[in-house]
Amino acid sequence: MTRVTVWNEFRQERSDPVVGAIYPDGIHSAVADGLREAGFEVRTATLDEPEHGLSEEVLAATDVLTWWGHVAHDEVADDIVERVHRRVLDGMGLVVQHSGHFSKIFQRLMGTTCNLTWREAGERERLWVVDRAHPIAEGLGESFVIEQEEMYGEPFDIPAPDRLVLIGWFQGGEVFRSGCCYQRGRGRIFYFQPGHETHPIYFHSDVRRVIANAVRWAAEPMGAALAFGNRKVPPEAG
Amino acid sequence: MTRVTVWNEFRQERSDPVVGAIYPDGIHSAVADGLREAGFEVRTATLDEPEHGLSEEVLAATDVLTWWGHVAHDEVADDIVERVHRRVLDGMGLVVQHSGHFSKIFQRLMGTTCNLTWREAGERERLWVVDRAHPIAEGLGESFVIEQEEMYGEPFDIPAPDRLVLIGWFQGGEVFRSGCCYQRGRGRIFYFQPGHETHPIYFHSDVRRVIANAVRWAAEPMGAALAFGNRKVPPEAG
Amino acid sequence: MTRVTVWNEFRQERSDPVVGAIYPDGIHSAVADGLREAGFEVRTATLDEPEHGLSEEVLAATDVLTWWGHVAHDEVADDIVERVHRRVLDGMGLVVQHSGHFSKIFQRLMGTTCNLTWREAGERERLWVVDRAHPIAEGLGESFVIEQEEMYGEPFDIPAPDRLVLIGWFQGGEVFRSGCCYQRGRGRIFYFQPGHETHPIYFHSDVRRVIANAVRWAAEPMGAALAFGNRKVPPEAG
Amino acid sequence: MTRVTVWNEFRQERSDPVVGAIYPDGIHSAVADGLREAGFEVRTATLDEPEHGLSEEVLAATDVLTWWGHVAHDEVADDIVERVHRRVLDGMGLVVQHSGHFSKIFQRLMGTTCNLTWREAGERERLWVVDRAHPIAEGLGESFVIEQEEMYGEPFDIPAPDRLVLIGWFQGGEVFRSGCCYQRGRGRIFYFQPGHETHPIYFHSDVRRVIANAVRWAAEPMGAALAFGNRKVPPEAG
């Protein structure tokens, strides 16, 4: 069974009553509940645990990691970022959520700033499936709506995705590449835009469906480990 | 100097007074005027000319072909489509406009239906640049507006573009991959969505800019001709 | 269970004693045997059957079609090519083998000539996995060898693959993009270069493994059918 | 005129007589000479200069940076790597040469280990053009030979290139993705494999041609600077 670790910064839920009212047990609990319903084996980890809850043992026992962070990206220790980075390249899947676009681990994997435009106005968003045949779109209609969401808009400073699955339409006039697939080393990465902390987005059925699909996709077999280095004998040595 | 042939079906301008009022000399004249202003050497060709105006001689003297068609795609003769197809693979650039998504030549090059959703309601469209570093985006702001346009929406049944430059936002709630780059053989192809015949879109300065940029991009050197077939002597024969 | 139809031209096995000695029951039998061993439900179809063995009923009951053709591409009826094309866009997987690069169906899907260079000299080929994390590479080592194969070399006139999984190295000095993945419509397509008729390539264990992996990959769920056309009511109509 | 800064580690030329005999004035001098012949305005910079020769002023006056490093990647200061990284994302082109695959700047931009296999045996390499229509291939034949080169082989742990222009064939049986294009932010990056220090590769006319083409390509206009951050007023605010 696919083993998922749901990581969350877990700060605003405790400091901001608006967020705390929506997610009294933390965003990670809502994400984890959705994934458990979808049949995954789920644990959670948060910033203020030792090693941010991401020990070597935890990562070794994780097939897919989901990541939510916002106000404390800088507090994630560099050596933990390195550890997660190595695990992704070695085949662990990674689902980066919403404001996680600015996390150290996503920037590290993308090689770009991952900057974007944004606006907090509780706008209506409609997400369109532009790659219907991708496993992450399974079970979705042609589009789905989030009644209130923070606007995330282009430009979005990422490498062109290997596959672009979702494009977001915002009431205020913007569009956004909201569902982006990448392969890095043996690991699969999915960036998924919805998830602002002041709206109950992780209870939304289609958002949960996308996250579950993304976990399933990112957990697929990643091939044998790669052997690098000096290959002294030519394979075609006479 | 880059030599452009602007091709137009040129039917609705003569049969539909609304269209005729906007484009009394045909859509091709408006497109050609924009390209002449941008410094290109331009000729036009239309469906009802012999060989649709696309003789071997014309194509041989064409660096980039632009294509507008709508109600008479089926009347374009298959052998002319084959001729254009060969020329594109041999290095001629092609800029496919608006309803040209359903032209035989675009379907032939894409290998898919190129189908989409649409709505004629004169909606406001905002086109966002999502690949600011692409030459086709040169001189554009982060987005530009077309006050009234036919809605073209996802799903759009095309191969994933080699580069996606523009995404359209429509007032009614849709998004569309509005500026798509492809390489096929030695030829470069750009699909550009705006251009409904009942709105004066080919007089719009940013639309003209995109078309001129696309022509410039599609006309770039395409490398030496390729030699295929039986290579009897191995290059590494001892 | 995934239902595979193995299509073969089945001419040279009957006309050329060298080929007939290797594949007395036809190339399709060898390919089908390999796929049955891998656990698929397999039927075969050949050129000289009515409708080339590819009736609407057969295609409707086919999840993945494999295609081998060489000397009689022109004898494949255009309406059957159209039928296969529609089925692929509607979600049927397609595995194109070796000289099938010049089949009408592959050219139709690619939009290019699919031309290449070649040499019949029974050269040694080594196929390298360049995308180890792709499901089609599952179970392969870092490379595998075919003792004698027709050389297929670059240039290969195809659209840049969505994913390039294998590159072939040939004794005579050439390289070739030997394993190429494409998505077209809802259908997945894999081109796999090995398979010259004068060598017993379809009995090779790693060749069989790649074909089985490709069938498994191409058979994956392809999402809901797409609805195109006039969407009269804007989704965001107030 | 395009301004190029040729960066070189410049250590082995001074410590290893074999290397010093080939490049008495350093690899950077040979690379710079080739680029001057091609008409560029060239300066050089090396590791042991203050700030590695890459001050803010130098980078601000550089359109394209070329990078050769091998034994001292770790000595490149992290803050200089950050500075170069920012400049690339802001539009400066970068041509990474040979063992520069393991440089901090290339790893930073790619987000992967950039590891590979290698063998020092002075093998013959033949580089094949697989994307003849790309500007970096301009003027090349279908392949070109380097008589003696270090073998670099797959697997090569990089993101799938945006465009793959060259594939290397090695005498000992390997292949390698030898010419790879990337876009990151507003900057264009080209990785080019040839260039082992014990062979006179930077005097080779086709190697020089590729580097000059790559510089020309990487120097192309990169679009307007991107504006990120809070966009308080919706563009479609009524």
Side-chain angles (χ1 to χ4, degrees):
Chain A
M1 192 196 282
T2 298
R3 301 160 302 173
V4 186
T5 299
V6 171
W7 193 88
N8 181 20
E9 193 179 273
F10 194 31
R11 287 281 176 84
Q12 290 169 284
E13 298 96 325
R14 295 181 290 165
S15 66
D16 180 338
V18 173
V19 182
I22 299 170
Y23 297 112
D25 302 316
I27 283 174
H28 52 291
S29 297
V31 173
D33 284 350
L35 288 169
R36 284 192 194 101
E37 275 172 26
F40 298 104
E41 183 184 323
V42 183
R43 76 168 89 197
T44 64
T46 55
L47 179 64
D48 293 324
E49 297 173 41
E51 303 181 63
H52 312 321
L54 299 172
S55 66
E56 292 281 8
E57 294 67 35
V58 166
L59 289 182
T62 299
D63 299 309
V64 181
L65 178 68
T66 71
W67 194 276
W68 197 99
H70 185 203
V71 296
H73 293 310
D74 285 349
E75 294 182 46
V76 179
D78 288 341
D79 59 328
I80 305 294
V81 174
E82 284 308 297
R83 184 186 287 169
V84 174
H85 186 234
R86 276 196 310 272
R87 256 306 269 146
V88 171
L89 298 185
D90 192 45
M92 182 180 72
L94 180 69
V95 178
V96 176
Q97 299 170 302
H98 188 62
S99 45
H101 76 91
F102 250 171
S103 63
K104 289 181 181 178
I105 183 61
F106 191 56
Q107 292 177 321
R108 184 93 175 73
L109 282 159
M110 296 295 103
T112 58
T113 67
C114 305
N115 212 340
L116 47 71
T117 60
W118 53 276
R119 180 173 57 245
E120 286 190 83
E123 286 164 76
R124 190 171 165 87
E125 177 181 12
R126 181 176 288 271
L127 290 114
W128 288 92
V129 177
V130 297
D131 191 348
R132 198 68 170 276
H134 197 281
I136 292 179
E138 211 176 327
L140 296 176
E142 61 186 13
S143 71
F144 63 94
V145 169
I146 296 174
E147 293 296 336
Q148 289 199 300
E149 174 57 297
E150 181 184 16
M151 185 285 292
Y152 270 17
E154 300 285 341
F156 184 20
D157 184 26
I158 48 171
D162 296 345
R163 292 261 303 252
L164 174 63
V165 180
L166 298 162
I167 296 177
W169 173 101
F170 286 92
Q171 192 177 359
E174 276 92 353
V175 297
F176 194 68
R177 286 171 291 171
S178 294
C180 300
C181 298
Y182 296 94
Q183 178 85 34
R184 289 296 182 268
R186 300 160 71 213
R188 293 178 175 187
I189 302 150
F190 185 64
Y191 174 77
F192 185 40
Q193 158 262 314
H196 194 56
E197 67 276 3
T198 63
H199 308 294
I201 286 169
Y202 291 113
F203 300 102
H204 186 295
S205 62
D206 277 329
V207 169
R208 286 190 166 192
R209 184 186 300 267
V210 170
I211 296 171
N213 286 347
V215 164
R216 207 170 288 116
W217 168 79
E220 280 188 14
M222 75 297 276
L226 302 171
F228 299 110
N230 196 347
R231 188 187 288 138
K232 284 188 182 163
V233 182
E236 294 292 326
Chain B
M1 192 196 281
T2 298
R3 300 160 303 172
V4 186
T5 299
V6 170
W7 193 88
N8 182 20
E9 193 178 273
F10 195 30
R11 288 279 175 86
Q12 290 169 284
E13 298 95 325
R14 295 181 290 164
S15 65
D16 180 337
V18 173
V19 182
I22 299 171
Y23 296 112
D25 302 315
I27 283 174
H28 53 290
S29 296
V31 173
D33 284 350
L35 289 169
R36 284 193 194 101
E37 273 171 27
F40 298 105
E41 183 185 322
V42 183
R43 75 169 91 197
T44 65
T46 56
L47 179 64
D48 292 325
E49 296 174 41
E51 303 181 64
H52 312 322
L54 299 173
S55 65
E56 292 282 7
E57 294 66 35
V58 166
L59 289 181
T62 299
D63 299 310
V64 180
L65 177 68
T66 71
W67 192 278
W68 199 100
H70 185 205
V71 295
H73 293 311
D74 285 349
E75 295 182 45
V76 178
D78 287 341
D79 60 328
I80 304 294
V81 174
E82 284 309 296
R83 185 186 288 169
V84 173
H85 186 235
R86 276 196 310 273
R87 256 305 270 147
V88 171
L89 298 185
D90 192 44
M92 181 180 72
L94 180 69
V95 178
V96 176
Q97 298 169 303
H98 189 61
S99 45
H101 75 92
F102 249 172
S103 63
K104 290 181 180 178
I105 183 61
F106 191 56
Q107 292 177 322
R108 184 93 174 74
L109 282 159
M110 296 295 103
T112 58
T113 67
C114 305
N115 212 337
L116 45 72
T117 59
W118 53 276
R119 182 174 53 247
E120 286 190 82
E123 285 165 76
R124 190 171 165 86
E125 177 181 11
R126 181 175 289 271
L127 290 113
W128 288 91
V129 177
V130 297
D131 191 347
R132 198 68 169 275
H134 196 283
I136 291 179
E138 212 177 326
L140 296 175
E142 63 186 13
S143 71
F144 64 93
V145 169
I146 296 174
E147 293 296 335
Q148 289 199 299
E149 175 55 298
E150 181 184 17
M151 187 285 293
Y152 270 18
E154 299 286 341
F156 184 20
D157 184 27
I158 47 170
D162 296 345
R163 289 258 312 247
L164 175 61
V165 181
L166 298 162
I167 296 178
W169 174 102
F170 286 92
Q171 192 177 0
E174 276 93 353
V175 298
F176 195 67
R177 287 171 290 171
S178 295
C180 300
C181 298
Y182 297 93
Q183 179 85 34
R184 289 296 182 268
R186 300 159 70 214
R188 293 179 176 186
I189 301 150
F190 185 63
Y191 174 76
F192 185 41
Q193 159 261 314
H196 194 54
E197 66 276 4
T198 63
H199 306 295
I201 286 168
Y202 292 113
F203 300 102
H204 186 295
S205 63
D206 277 331
V207 169
R208 287 190 165 192
R209 184 187 299 269
V210 170
I211 296 171
N213 286 347
V215 164
R216 207 170 287 117
W217 169 79
E220 279 189 13
M222 74 297 274
L226 301 171
F228 299 110
N230 196 347
R231 189 187 286 137
K232 285 188 180 163
V233 182
E236 294 293 326
Chain C
M1 191 194 284
T2 299
R3 301 160 302 171
V4 186
T5 298
V6 171
W7 193 88
N8 181 21
E9 191 179 273
F10 196 30
R11 288 280 176 85
Q12 290 168 285
E13 298 95 325
R14 294 182 289 163
S15 66
D16 180 336
V18 173
V19 181
I22 299 170
Y23 296 113
D25 301 317
I27 283 173
H28 53 291
S29 297
V31 173
D33 285 351
L35 289 169
R36 284 193 192 101
E37 276 171 25
F40 297 105
E41 183 185 320
V42 183
R43 74 168 90 195
T44 64
T46 56
L47 179 64
D48 293 325
E49 296 174 41
E51 302 182 64
H52 313 320
L54 299 172
S55 65
E56 292 282 7
E57 294 68 34
V58 166
L59 289 182
T62 298
D63 299 309
V64 181
L65 177 68
T66 72
W67 194 277
W68 197 100
H70 185 204
V71 295
H73 292 311
D74 285 350
E75 295 182 45
V76 179
D78 287 342
D79 60 327
I80 305 295
V81 174
E82 284 309 296
R83 184 187 287 169
V84 174
H85 186 232
R86 276 197 309 272
R87 255 308 269 147
V88 171
L89 297 185
D90 192 45
M92 181 180 71
L94 179 69
V95 178
V96 176
Q97 300 170 301
H98 188 62
S99 43
H101 74 91
F102 250 171
S103 62
K104 289 180 180 177
I105 181 62
F106 191 55
Q107 292 176 322
R108 184 92 175 74
L109 282 159
M110 296 294 104
T112 58
T113 67
C114 304
N115 211 339
L116 46 71
T117 60
W118 53 277
R119 182 172 55 246
E120 286 190 82
E123 285 164 78
R124 191 173 166 85
E125 177 180 11
R126 182 175 288 272
L127 290 114
W128 288 92
V129 178
V130 297
D131 191 348
R132 198 69 168 276
H134 197 281
I136 291 179
E138 210 176 328
L140 297 175
E142 61 186 12
S143 71
F144 62 95
V145 169
I146 296 174
E147 293 296 335
Q148 290 199 301
E149 175 54 298
E150 181 184 18
M151 186 285 292
Y152 270 17
E154 298 286 340
F156 184 20
D157 184 25
I158 48 172
D162 295 345
R163 291 267 297 256
L164 174 63
V165 180
L166 298 162
I167 296 177
W169 172 103
F170 286 92
Q171 192 177 359
E174 276 93 353
V175 297
F176 195 69
R177 286 171 291 171
S178 294
C180 300
C181 298
Y182 296 93
Q183 178 85 34
R184 290 294 182 268
R186 299 159 72 213
R188 293 179 175 186
I189 301 151
F190 186 63
Y191 174 78
F192 185 40
Q193 158 264 314
H196 193 55
E197 66 276 3
T198 64
H199 307 295
I201 286 167
Y202 291 113
F203 300 101
H204 186 295
S205 62
D206 277 331
V207 170
R208 287 190 165 191
R209 184 186 299 269
V210 170
I211 296 171
N213 286 346
V215 164
R216 207 170 287 117
W217 169 79
E220 279 187 15
M222 77 294 275
L226 301 172
F228 298 110
N230 195 347
R231 189 187 286 138
K232 284 188 183 164
V233 181
E236 294 293 327
Chain D
M1 193 194 283
T2 298
R3 300 159 301 170
V4 187
T5 298
V6 171
W7 193 88
N8 181 21
E9 192 178 274
F10 196 30
R11 287 281 176 83
Q12 290 168 285
E13 297 96 324
R14 294 181 289 165
S15 66
D16 181 338
V18 172
V19 182
I22 298 170
Y23 297 111
D25 302 317
I27 283 173
H28 53 291
S29 296
V31 172
D33 285 350
L35 288 169
R36 284 192 193 102
E37 274 171 27
F40 297 105
E41 182 185 321
V42 184
R43 75 169 91 197
T44 65
T46 57
L47 179 63
D48 293 326
E49 297 173 41
E51 302 182 64
H52 313 320
L54 299 172
S55 65
E56 291 282 7
E57 294 68 34
V58 165
L59 289 181
T62 299
D63 299 308
V64 181
L65 178 68
T66 72
W67 193 277
W68 197 100
H70 185 203
V71 296
H73 293 311
D74 285 350
E75 295 181 45
V76 179
D78 287 342
D79 59 329
I80 305 294
V81 174
E82 284 309 297
R83 183 187 289 170
V84 174
H85 186 233
R86 276 196 310 271
R87 255 307 269 147
V88 171
L89 297 185
D90 192 44
M92 181 181 71
L94 180 68
V95 178
V96 176
Q97 299 170 302
H98 188 63
S99 44
H101 75 92
F102 250 171
S103 62
K104 289 180 180 176
I105 182 62
F106 191 56
Q107 292 177 322
R108 184 94 174 74
L109 282 159
M110 296 294 103
T112 58
T113 68
C114 305
N115 212 338
L116 45 72
T117 60
W118 54 275
R119 181 172 56 246
E120 286 190 81
E123 285 165 77
R124 190 172 165 86
E125 177 181 12
R126 181 176 288 272
L127 290 114
W128 288 92
V129 177
V130 298
D131 191 348
R132 197 70 168 276
H134 196 281
I136 291 180
E138 210 178 327
L140 296 175
E142 62 186 14
S143 71
F144 63 93
V145 169
I146 296 174
E147 293 296 336
Q148 291 200 299
E149 176 53 299
E150 181 183 17
M151 187 284 293
Y152 270 19
E154 299 286 339
F156 184 21
D157 185 25
I158 48 171
D162 295 345
R163 290 262 305 250
L164 175 62
V165 180
L166 297 162
I167 296 178
W169 173 102
F170 286 93
Q171 193 177 359
E174 277 92 353
V175 297
F176 194 68
R177 286 170 290 171
S178 294
C180 300
C181 297
Y182 296 94
Q183 178 85 35
R184 290 296 182 268
R186 298 159 72 214
R188 294 179 174 187
I189 301 151
F190 185 64
Y191 175 77
F192 186 40
Q193 159 263 313
H196 194 54
E197 66 277 3
T198 64
H199 307 295
I201 285 167
Y202 291 114
F203 300 103
H204 186 294
S205 62
D206 277 331
V207 169
R208 288 190 165 191
R209 184 186 299 268
V210 170
I211 296 171
N213 286 348
V215 164
R216 207 169 288 117
W217 169 78
E220 279 187 15
M222 75 296 274
L226 302 171
F228 299 111
N230 195 348
R231 188 187 288 138
K232 284 187 182 165
V233 181
E236 295 293 326

